[in-house]
Each structure stands twice: as C-alpha cells, then as structure tokens.
Amino acid sequence: ADLSCGDNVPRTPTLEIDGTRYNIDDWTNVPSSILSYLPRKLQLQPSHPVSITRQVIESNFPSPTYTHYNDLHPVVTVAENFDSLGFPKDHPGRSRTDTYYINKDTVLRTHTSAHEAKIFRDNKSEGYTISADVYRRDAIDRSHYPVFHQMEGARTWDRRKVPGGNIAKAVWTDLVKLPRHSLSIEDPNPTTHAERNPLQTEHHSPEEVEAIAAHLKRSLEGVVIELFSRVQKTTGAVGHVNANAWEPLRVRWIEAYFPFTSPSWELEVFWQGDWLELLGCGVTKQDVLINAGVPDQVGWAFGVGLERVAMLLFSIPDIRLFWSKDSRFLKQFSNKENVNTFVPFSRYPECYKDVSFWLRSSGSSAGGGMRSNAQDFHENDVMEIVRDVGSDLIEAVKLVDDFVHPVSGRKSLCYRINYRSLERTLRNEEVNQLHENVRKQLVEQLGVELR
Ligand code: FA5
Ligand code: MG
C-alpha cells in the first residue's frame, strides 16, 4: 500500500487514454493495438461507408424529435455498460474473454446501449440516436473485427403529457405520420414467449405495448427500405446485387432476448442464401427508465451494426476494408444519394499456415497464471495474439482440429491462420516471420506446448 510517499514507493500502475489516467489491475486486458483504434472515429469520416450508412439511417430519425450523438467517448464504466441495463452478474458478456477491461470497473463499451441511461436521464428530446465505435473480443473472419460500429436509437413518450396517462393513442398518432411502405414482411409478428419476454404488465397496458411495438417495427422497416432504395437499381424493385444477380429485398422479424428490452426482436434480411441479423430491438425495460430517473417515460430502443449494413449495401466483401487507408477503397464512396457497389480491387493471394499445440491438463499447477490450463483456455485469447502479431494481414483464424490424447488426457488444438493482405502480395519470408512470431507469443503468453 502507498503509505507515505517517497519517490521510490511503487505506485499503482496506470494507463493513459486520451489524457485520462486509469489504474490497471488483474482485470486489465486491453492491448495497445486496440487502443490505437480510438482516434479513427469512422462514423465521422466524410465519405466513409460507415459514415454514409449512419447518415442515411439518421435521416429516418429527424431532429428535433431525435437528437443525434456521434462522438461519445468509448471508455465507460461497468455500471454503464452492464449494470444500468440489468445484465445479470453472471452474464457471459461481462467476462474478460469477451470484453476489453481497462480495470475492474472500466471497459471499452461493448455496445452503444452503454449510453442509454445517461441520455434518458438528460431527457433532451423524445428520441435519440448514438453512433459509435464498440469493442469486443471475438473470432477473426471476414465479418468479425474487434472494433466495429453500432447505431443505437430510442424513442419515448411521456405519460404526464397525455390525458389519463395512457400513451397508446399518442403512439398510434405518431405512427400514422411515418412513411408507409408496400414491402411485404415475411414474418411481421412472430410469437414472443412470456417466460423470457414478458409484456411488463406491471408497467404497461397491453395496448401500449402493441402500439410501441408497431411504431418500432414500422420505423425500422422504413430504415431498411430507405437503405436499399439507395442501391443503384436495375429494376424498379428494392433489393441489392449479389454475385452480379439482382436479389429483391426480403425482410422478417424474429423473437430475441436482451436484458434491457422486453419483448425483444431481431430484424433479418435475406442475403447470399441465408437470413442475416441486422439489428436487435425491443420495448425498453421500465427499470432502465426508472433507474435513469424518468419513470414516466415509456418507449422503444434498437441497436444496429453499421458495418453489417454497409457490407450489404455496398457489397463490401471483408470487414477489414473499413479500416483501409488505401485510396482505391476510400475514393469509391463519395455520393450518399445513390449507393454504388464497391468494386473490389484485385484479391491478392492468400497463404495459410497451421499451428498445433497442447493445453495443460486441467488441474495442472504448472505455469501458474497461464491461460493454457484446459479449463481456463479461451479461444479469444488465441484470436487476440494472432491479431496482435499480424494485425490486418490476418484474414481468418479457424479451429481445424481438436482431440484429447487417449492416454495422457491432454487436449490438442490446431488453428489454421489465413494470411492475406487487402493491398498487396505478401512475401513468403514475411509470412514465415509472422507465423514464427505467432508461435512464440502463444508459448509466452498462454504457456501452451507447441507440437
Ligand atoms: C446489442 O449490442 C444490443 N445492444 C442491441 C440492442 C439495442 C438491443 C437496444 C435492444 C435495444 P447485438 O450484440 O446483437 O446486440 O449487436 C447488435 C448488432 O450489432 C447486431 O445485430 C449486428 O448487426 C451488429 N454486430 C454484433 N456483433 C458484431 C460483430 N462482431 N461484427 C459486426 N457487427 C456486429
Ligand atoms: Mg445479436
């Protein structure tokens, strides 16, 4: 403990981010490579596809009804990111394998919902959107990156402003002012299950929930149709180009679960032969609003992945491209009225290499603190190490083999690492050197035994 000064007394180690010092502790797991993304703010870069997508969606949520927040700082408290939203203490999202911790009480936001409580409390307008970078420890492939962008949106109605305190009529009045559309939604009203998605009957009447849900769905259907109507058309229909063929837009709703909305849904679009989730949403849990000091407000919220939408809209094949500073990428996006299909510059050759290693058997005390004990091992640690060594030269990392030795009981894993640059051909020696370094870091940081 730091009793009475003296310059040689060890102080609590700290980490400086944007001029603020944070104590670091056993929870700290954010590497400096991740912190280097904080200044990029793609949502604010003119003519960047993330920013164009943000602006098209924002135009569906006009001011003054909605206030748009686009520059909120990504360092938030655990209370903001999880507690204020009712995440249970044992929710997996809180774990160090999934979330970047600055210290025990401070994280890089994992979603834009981290700001809901504060903005509900400020109560500046009936609605808002928040567009921001979010951070998650996750797999590596062409649609996952540890930093991506979300837009949060929310709308509330104030009971004190309507006769009798029932907001249902006010919500329907606002709904009929929304633009109509003629797209037939494939599952407009999926059944929700009361055990996990209750109607919050202690706070809302069923008519209120019905009205809020209808307003929410109509608003978001409008967004998707607006987005796809920007795609250059070859026919009069709304849709997109997939593998050079025109695909008409197909949309459906499915039931979902979030700790801070009930009932909850996800909106999916049909893309490349499968349903793809674009956003999550629901009727805001009244506890979130009560705890934010606005118990008379009732309403909805959603969160959409901006890269997810932009990849579809512009036909961008790899999520790493969003971070490219290559003008062959950036110069293609200038016109936000009509969205153009991204013309991929030539794909450079890929090179894959495998790495195999043994985990320590569970209960082994060797290598104290090492995360290679079978029970402590988490794949995201491998992902992080590979990403740290190879940064954007890594296209994908995939588990290709996994077995337990019949005699020793030890577990062996084999990961395949795809090396490919988006901008040039990699030299052999370069890839060999990267791979050698990955092997070395796996041993040093995880304590695995290479095979
Ligand atoms: C959330 O983050 C909730 N905060 C959304 C929400 C807000 C629900 C308000 C209800 C009310 P989820 O983890 O599913 O939920 O992420 C939301 C969207 O972000 C996804 O639908 C997807 O479009 C995008 N997304 C999630 N993970 C990734 C990823 N690894 N890469 C790219 N986009 C992602
Ligand atoms: Mg989801």
Side-chain angles (χ1 to χ4, degrees):
D2 189 2
L3 298 172
S4 63
C5 46
D7 268 355
N8 50 2
V9 174
R11 288 161 203 278
T12 319
T14 59
L15 182 65
E16 186 174 326
I17 305 174
D18 285 340
T20 304
R21 289 206 156 274
Y22 300 90
N23 289 342
I24 62 173
D25 59 25
D26 291 351
W27 283 75
T28 310
N29 67 352
V30 55
S32 52
S33 54
I34 289 294
L35 292 174
S36 72
Y37 288 90
L38 265 61
R40 294 291 297 276
K41 301 184 186 182
L42 302 184
Q43 75 277 13
L44 296 175
Q45 300 311 310
S47 303
H48 192 282
V50 167
S51 160
I52 295 172
T53 305
R54 163 184 70 78
Q55 292 172 64
V56 176
I57 304 177
E58 276 177 358
S59 69
N60 277 51
F61 300 103
S63 76
T65 306
Y66 294 87
T67 307
H68 304 295
Y69 299 86
N70 295 324
D71 202 5
L72 299 176
H73 201 269
V75 175
V76 300
T77 62
V78 167
E80 290 169 310
N81 200 79
F82 297 118
D83 303 337
S84 73
L85 295 160
F87 277 73
K89 285 288 179 208
D90 61 353
H91 192 282
R94 291 181 184 255
S95 95
R96 286 176 75 246
T97 59
D98 289 27
T99 294
Y100 288 111
Y101 279 83
I102 313 286
N103 58 42
K104 176 170 125 320
D105 304 313
T106 318
V107 296
L108 292 178
R109 69 184 153 224
T110 64
H111 56 174
T112 43
S113 305
H115 302 289
E116 276 195 7
K118 163 95 169 64
I119 296 176
F120 280 134
R121 184 176 293 278
D122 290 352
N123 198 14
K124 268 184 61 179
S125 49
E126 296 164 285
Y128 59 80
T129 67
I130 307 163
S131 300
D133 39 331
V134 301
Y135 298 77
R136 294 186 191 178
R137 302 187 80 220
D138 209 337
I140 302 183
D141 62 34
R142 277 144 62 85
S143 64
H144 288 86
Y145 205 80
V147 191
F148 61 99
H149 296 76
Q150 286 186 335
M151 184 190 291
E152 190 89 359
R155 174 72 201 263
T156 53
W157 288 266
D158 192 328
R159 290 194 185 289
R160 292 166 305 183
K161 293 190 180 151
V162 293
N166 185 318
I167 55 128
K169 226 176 114 200
V171 178
W172 286 113
T173 307
D174 286 332
L175 186 146
V176 297
K177 290 184 241 158
L178 294 172
R180 290 173 172 281
H181 68 75
S182 56
L183 186 75
S184 98
I185 307 295
E186 302 197 13
D187 196 352
N189 211 352
T191 312
T192 53
H193 293 86
E195 329 77 74
R196 289 187 67 196
N197 252 334
L199 293 184
Q200 307 187 61
T201 45
E202 65 283 30
H203 298 297
H204 311 150
S205 72
E207 313 85 78
E208 287 179 320
V209 176
E210 194 190 337
I212 294 168
H215 190 279
L216 167 64
K217 285 179 176 167
R218 172 75 80 79
S219 300
L220 293 171
E221 288 162 8
V223 167
V224 179
I225 291 163
E226 164 91 25
L227 284 165
F228 280 86
S229 67
R230 308 273 173 137
V231 179
Q232 275 169 10
K233 294 185 188 68
T234 51
T235 70
V238 178
H240 62 130
V241 179
N242 174 30
N244 296 321
W246 181 257
E247 271 186 1
L249 178 61
R250 293 177 61 192
V251 177
R252 73 174 184 192
W253 289 100
I254 60 165
E255 183 180 23
Y257 303 97
F258 300 100
F260 37 95
T261 51
S262 188
S264 310
W265 299 272
E266 280 166 355
L267 184 148
E268 297 189 330
V269 300
F270 200 72
W271 188 60
Q272 298 192 345
D274 220 337
W275 290 99
L276 175 76
E277 169 199 329
L278 284 193
L279 61 86
C281 65
V283 177
T284 300
K285 284 236 183 117
Q286 208 54 34
D287 283 343
V288 172
L289 294 156
I290 292 168
N291 292 334
V294 288
D296 296 305
Q297 312 270 355
V298 187
W300 54 247
F302 72 84
V304 57
L306 293 176
E307 280 87 351
R308 261 305 146 82
V309 173
M311 286 175 87
L312 259 79
L313 214 53
F314 299 92
S315 308
I316 295 172
D318 189 311
I319 196 165
R320 288 178 294 167
L321 282 161
F322 290 102
W323 301 97
S324 173
K325 293 172 179 167
D326 191 322
S327 68
R328 288 174 297 172
F329 176 75
L330 293 171
K331 70 170 188 230
Q332 295 196 30
F333 310 96
S334 52
N335 175 358
K336 71 172 197 275
E337 290 317 311
N338 248 325
V339 158
N340 48 304
T341 296
F342 170 64
V343 184
F345 27 101
S346 60
R347 282 190 91 194
Y348 296 91
E350 76 166 345
C351 169
Y352 65 80
K353 291 189 178 290
D354 293 349
V355 55
S356 307
F357 52 80
W358 296 106
L359 298 181
R360 292 170 195 280
S361 45
S362 304
S364 153
S365 59
M370 289 293 192
R371 284 167 288 163
S372 62
N373 280 325
Q375 78 272 23
D376 296 334
F377 175 80
H378 195 291
E379 181 160 290
N380 282 347
D381 291 334
V382 173
M383 300 294 167
E384 182 96 49
I385 286 169
V386 178
R387 186 80 88 181
D388 230 19
V389 170
S391 60
D392 283 358
L393 304 179
I394 311 295
E395 180 170 281
V397 179
K398 200 166 77 201
L399 183 68
V400 288
D401 190 33
D402 159 357
F403 76 93
V404 174
H405 191 281
V407 179
S408 70
R410 287 172 92 197
K411 189 168 182 177
S412 164
L413 301 174
C414 177
Y415 283 92
R416 177 156 299 169
I417 305 175
N418 273 52
Y419 296 88
R420 189 204 311 259
S421 165
L422 294 165
E423 290 158 9
R424 60 194 173 84
T425 300
L426 294 177
R427 284 171 297 109
N428 251 333
E429 318 85 86
E430 194 178 3
V431 175
N432 287 339
Q433 218 168 54
L434 287 171
H435 196 66
E436 207 34 61
N437 201 6
V438 165
R439 290 165 55 87
K440 184 162 154 252
Q441 293 304 322
L442 286 170
V443 173
E444 276 182 16
Q445 297 188 39
L446 295 185
V448 301
E449 187 185 321
L450 297 175
R451 297 189 53 202

